[in-house]
Amino acid sequence: MATRQPIPITHAERVIDAASGVTKGELVDYYERVAPSMLPHLKARPVALVRAPEGVGGELFFQKHAAAAAMDGIDLLDPALDPGHEPLLVVSAPRGLRSAAQMNVVEFHTWNMTTRTIPRADRMVFDLDPGEGVAWPEVREAATLVHAFLGELKLQSWVKTSGGKGLHVVVPLAPRHDWQAVRQVARAVVVRMAAVVPQRFVAKSGPRNRVGRIFIDYLRNGWGSTTAAAWSARARPGLGVSVPIDWSELAQVESGAHWTVRNVEPRLRPGQTAWDGFTASRQTLTRAMKALDFEPTETT
Ligand code: ATP
Ligand code: MN
């Protein structure tokens, strides 16, 4: 293998988050250490990058297309995958994390489809966002209820902290259904949960609907919709990290930003096994569709 010069990092000493004092160099080091765990979550998956050129308190730039290119280890995808747009991006090598961080990228968000599955989704995502006045234990409990309900539908799910305020529940899928069907099933799940436990869940977005309740966002399942990838740092004060956890660990997790760039180190190694089984899972939505009396409707 040819040896490469490491991508040079400029202004490594610059503090990018006033709250924690984390520097650009520390973020680069974090991505270096986490690369082996993180790359499988990025493989062949269109990625959107959140850049924070002035640090976490400054303006953030969300980039899905080639404008962000010219980063070593980040490749352009075939424009035919997303017709009418600039080519999508993919992190194709560990050094892509480093070159992105050099360009002030803090967050990596991924699609629910890979280059091999488009337009079929290979996962379904439920984003649990606490509304105002919802205490953390209720968010945990909500995730557990979603987990149990999905289990009733014979769907295995995995959970990760968002690195921000909430939790992401993820259902891996064999790429059999197109993304429209997956989004409709996700919606059906959320509507059903809001009907069964209305004191806890709300299926409608908007802060007023959410007060005291948890909005389970199924819109993360649309075409081109993205969710922060496992192990991504977040461009928020404290620089939380999205950590894949085991359901049995949830009770000990104290917030969506339980782990941060600063404290995640001891978690990196066990963190790799928490989602064992996720990629190997080959489940489909067929039984869930039956149980939900699901009728696919015309999609847009
Ligand atoms: P939290 O737990 O705090 O809710 P989160 O990761 O669930 O964190 P956000 O960071 O609020 O949620 O992200 C909202 C969603 O919108 C994510 O799916 C993200 O990929 C997407 N997103 C973020 N910024 C943009 C943008 N500028 N344009 C399009 N989509 C965006
Ligand atoms: Mn969220």
Side-chain angles (χ1 to χ4, degrees), residues 62 109 127 129 162 164-166 168 220 226-228 234 236:
F62 191 84
H109 294 232
D127 166 46
D129 282 338
S162 74
K165 291 191 302 257
H168 298 150
R220 296 292 175 97
T226 54
T227 300
R234 306 306 306 271
R236 317 258 178 101

Side-chain angles (χ1 to χ4, degrees), residues 5-108:
Q5 292 298 318
I7 296 146
I9 302 298
T10 53
H11 306 294
E13 70 300 333
R14 196 171 60 210
V15 170
I16 57 168
D17 171 37
S20 59
V22 169
T23 62
K24 180 178 174 184
E26 278 179 80
L27 184 66
V28 170
D29 290 346
Y30 166 70
Y31 277 123
E32 200 98 50
R33 291 197 307 277
V34 83
S37 306
M38 188 169 177
L39 260 288
H41 297 275
L42 299 172
K43 194 178 169 195
R45 217 171 269 287
V47 68
L49 309 171
V50 177
R51 290 178 58 219
E54 294 151 23
V56 162
E59 196 179 346
L60 302 178
F61 299 89
F62 191 84
Q63 297 186 310
K64 296 169 75 166
H65 299 289
M71 295 187 213
D72 191 13
I74 297 189
D75 289 342
L76 302 184
L77 292 172
D78 180 352
L81 290 172
D82 192 20
H85 291 105
E86 293 285 298
L88 296 166
L89 306 169
V90 67
V91 179
S92 50
R95 64 182 186 284
L97 297 180
R98 182 180 174 91
S99 45
Q102 160 58 16
M103 297 296 284
N104 304 307
V105 170
V106 177
E107 304 188 4
F108 297 82

